[in-house]
Amino acid sequence: MKNLSLPARQIPLDDSWDVIVAGGGPAGCTAAIAAAREGAKTLLIESTGSLGGSGTSALVPAWCPFSDKEKIIYRGLAETVFNASKEGMSHVGAADLDWVPIDAERLKRVYDKLVTDAGVTVLFHTSLASVEKAGAVDEVSALLVANKAGLSALQAKVYIDCTGDADLAAWAGAPFHKGDETGYIQPSTHCFVLSNVDDQAYRHSPQLGWWDPASPIHSIIASGKYPEIPDKHLCNNNVGPGTVGFNAGHVWDVDNTDPASVSRGLMKGRQLAASYRDALAEFAPAAFGNAFLVATGSVIGVRESRRITGDYTLTLTDYIERRSFADEICRNSYFIDLHPTKAEHKDKIDDVTLATRFKHYGKGESHGVPYRCLTPKGLKNVLVAGRAISCERIVQGSVRVMPVCLAMGEAAGLAAALAARSPGHDVHAVDIPTLRRRLQQHGAYLPPVSTVVETLVPAGA
């Protein structure tokens, strides 16, 4: 690529912020709300035109479980978002906690109201373009962003990376991992919505999921008539009257840090959604004979990309042993949900996946997520929340989903506000007892830590 010679121009700088959050998905929204709630002047930048990420722009049709099979464990702001998202959905019970369907348009408004009420400033259609470091090599000095106003520089005391891909942290030089030992990453899924579905037939037909031997997906695959449909992955939820949302199929070789592969994936995903509509209309005509493909996600559903290297790496052993930590900022009970990394391994979806080697948690069981998983090595004033936290790849298959991302985001936002008003703005030096106490005051589920796994060593020691 040739270098272009452009006339020099002054880039405007806005240095008025205490905390800037990059990325308005679940983690980014709760991070921004929590920071603003603590009195920090907070800016949230989002590359799309709505907040919510996977549950809105990507059209993921259901929340992963909010309970540990006994009680809700993703509390605080996570519970606030969850409960507000259920209001007005007549087919969802107030006590429903697991695999609750999502009305994406309602959820957009929920996030809009919560961030607005907290005093967060939001910039939509604003993309992170570059990360600037000046003076101290371990400190971010500004973000360059691009939108319809052109390029501008934004400066804060503390930055929170909720991009999902650790863009901010990686571009600032933080170490990270991506994919498995060979570089392969989990496939994406382009979620979609079918409307004009016959509700009665849908409710009383065999389940569509591959786990039901009577599901039409088995006949669809066996027929060979729809070669675009790659496997039997067919999660679905009734998201409204006559309307079913699908988290179905896989699109392989999509790297969310590679725009060309994402572009190819979106086009392939739209074709795949149309094939599902046609296949279901043929093989499940009572429910889907007159179904209409009303929407595909404006973004593709990405399960995996970068993971930072933090002050602590959450391990498979931590998960298996249900460990607690002195600095834990939330609990998690979701199973290890890894999808096959290569198309030739797609049969694993129908047989024994990697995840089934590890028994699902029983009632009341969960593990802690340490604050140190949110603090990237080598960066003083940056936090990371969401699927890109510091963890082993197999554990990322559990902590990547929306409920725990909401909880992690709230902790990151509160910690950022504490760091922003302390000398040096060092996120590694945040007082953990204060952080945990403030989270509990806002309703977070943090049981007493009965066993300290290790002694915490102050940053820089």
Side-chain angles (χ1 to χ4, degrees):
M1 181 180 294
K2 295 182 179 179
N3 292 324
L4 298 179
S5 178
L6 299 175
R9 68 173 184 142
Q10 192 72 25
I11 296 177
L13 170 66
D14 180 354
D15 61 357
S16 64
W17 305 100
D18 295 317
V19 175
I20 296 176
V21 182
C29 287
T30 53
I33 294 165
R37 186 179 62 193
E38 291 297 307
K41 187 178 180 184
T42 304
L43 174 66
L44 174 59
I45 61 172
E46 165 55 35
S47 60
T48 71
S50 65
L51 300 174
S54 293
T56 56
S57 296
L59 292 180
V60 171
W63 295 102
C64 288
F66 264 74
S67 82
D68 62 3
K69 302 182 181 69
E70 284 186 343
K71 59 191 173 298
I72 188 167
I73 65 167
Y74 307 98
R75 299 183 190 169
L77 285 174
E79 186 174 11
T80 298
V81 171
F82 180 57
N83 286 339
S85 75
K86 294 193 293 183
E87 293 176 2
M89 298 182 73
S90 59
H91 62 300
V92 176
D96 292 348
L97 295 177
D98 298 339
W99 304 113
V100 171
I102 295 172
D103 177 342
E105 289 302 318
R106 170 177 292 278
L107 185 55
K108 290 176 187 178
R109 299 192 301 274
V110 167
Y111 285 121
D112 284 346
K113 177 171 173 41
L114 289 173
V115 298
T116 300
D117 289 352
V120 177
T121 298
V122 178
L123 287 179
F124 287 126
H125 296 298
T126 298
S127 297
L128 183 65
S130 183
V131 179
E132 300 298 309
K133 295 170 70 177
V137 295
D138 63 348
E139 193 167 356
V140 170
S141 59
L143 307 180
L144 285 183
V145 300
N147 54 27
K148 293 295 283 187
L151 287 175
S152 57
L154 303 170
Q155 193 170 68
K157 297 170 183 173
V158 178
Y159 304 87
I160 308 177
D161 185 339
C162 295
T163 62
D165 303 307
D167 289 336
L168 195 163
W171 295 354
F176 63 86
H177 301 277
K178 187 166 71 172
D180 63 15
E181 63 279 0
T182 64
Y184 282 101
I185 57 179
Q186 294 182 66
S188 296
T189 292
H190 201 180
C191 296
F192 60 93
V193 177
L194 298 184
S195 196
N196 203 35
V197 175
D198 187 297
D199 278 330
Q200 182 77 1
Y202 173 72
R203 287 196 301 268
H204 293 91
S205 297
Q207 295 186 65
L208 297 181
W210 68 90
W211 53 86
D212 189 338
S215 168
I217 192 60
H218 303 294
S219 298
I220 290 169
I221 295 294
S223 74
K225 296 176 68 174
Y226 297 92
E228 303 89 354
I229 296 177
D231 54 54
K232 297 179 182 179
H233 178 239
L234 193 62
C235 297
N236 59 100
N237 296 83
N238 180 202
V239 299
T243 307
V244 179
F246 286 84
N247 176 353
H250 294 98
V251 182
W252 279 275
D253 300 321
V254 174
D255 179 349
N256 211 41
T257 69
D258 174 8
S261 77
V262 173
S263 300
R264 291 191 299 270
L266 284 164
M267 289 188 279
K268 186 170 184 178
R270 286 190 278 268
Q271 292 295 325
L272 182 56
S275 293
Y276 273 112
R277 192 230 72 91
D278 294 345
L280 288 169
E282 177 178 353
F283 285 86
F288 295 98
N290 295 312
F292 174 68
L293 177 58
V294 68
T296 55
S298 58
V299 301
I300 198 165
V302 174
R303 294 182 173 89
E304 177 183 21
S305 60
R306 300 187 187 102
R307 309 183 311 279
I308 63 161
T309 301
D311 291 326
Y312 185 84
T313 298
L314 193 66
T315 68
L316 178 59
T317 300
D318 296 332
Y319 180 92
I320 292 173
E321 295 185 358
R322 284 73 163 159
R323 281 183 174 170
S324 296
F325 299 87
D327 64 333
E328 69 184 39
I329 43 79
C330 66
R331 304 290 294 183
N332 177 53
S333 63
Y334 188 58
F335 65 92
I336 292 177
D337 185 4
L338 281 180
H339 291 235
T341 56
K342 301 180 185 179
E344 56 264 35
H345 294 164
K346 64 186 180 183
D347 59 303
K348 290 183 179 180
I349 283 293
D350 312 314
D351 193 66
V352 179
T353 68
L354 181 62
T356 60
R357 287 194 290 151
F358 309 105
K359 186 177 179 181
H360 289 200
Y361 281 1
K363 289 183 178 181
E365 294 184 331
S366 62
H367 70 87
V369 177
Y371 173 69
R372 288 162 294 156
C373 292
L374 281 58
T375 50
K377 287 186 175 180
L379 293 177
K380 182 180 179 182
N381 61 340
V382 175
L383 285 160
V384 176
R387 70 169 185 258
I389 67 164
S390 180
C391 59
E392 291 182 345
R393 180 176 184 263
I394 193 165
V395 178
Q396 195 265 353
S398 170
V399 300
R400 64 179 174 81
V401 296
M402 288 187 284
V404 66
C405 287
L406 286 166
M408 288 189 286
E410 181 173 12
L414 206 159
L418 294 175
R421 60 175 180 250
S422 66
H425 315 313
D426 187 352
V427 299
H428 304 265
V430 167
D431 183 71
I432 297 303
T434 299
L435 174 61
R436 284 173 49 84
R437 183 174 64 252
R438 295 292 292 134
L439 286 170
Q440 289 173 316
Q441 288 170 349
H442 287 290
Y445 175 62
L446 289 175
V449 179
S450 57
T451 303
V452 177
V453 173
E454 59 190 328
T455 302
L456 299 185
V457 179

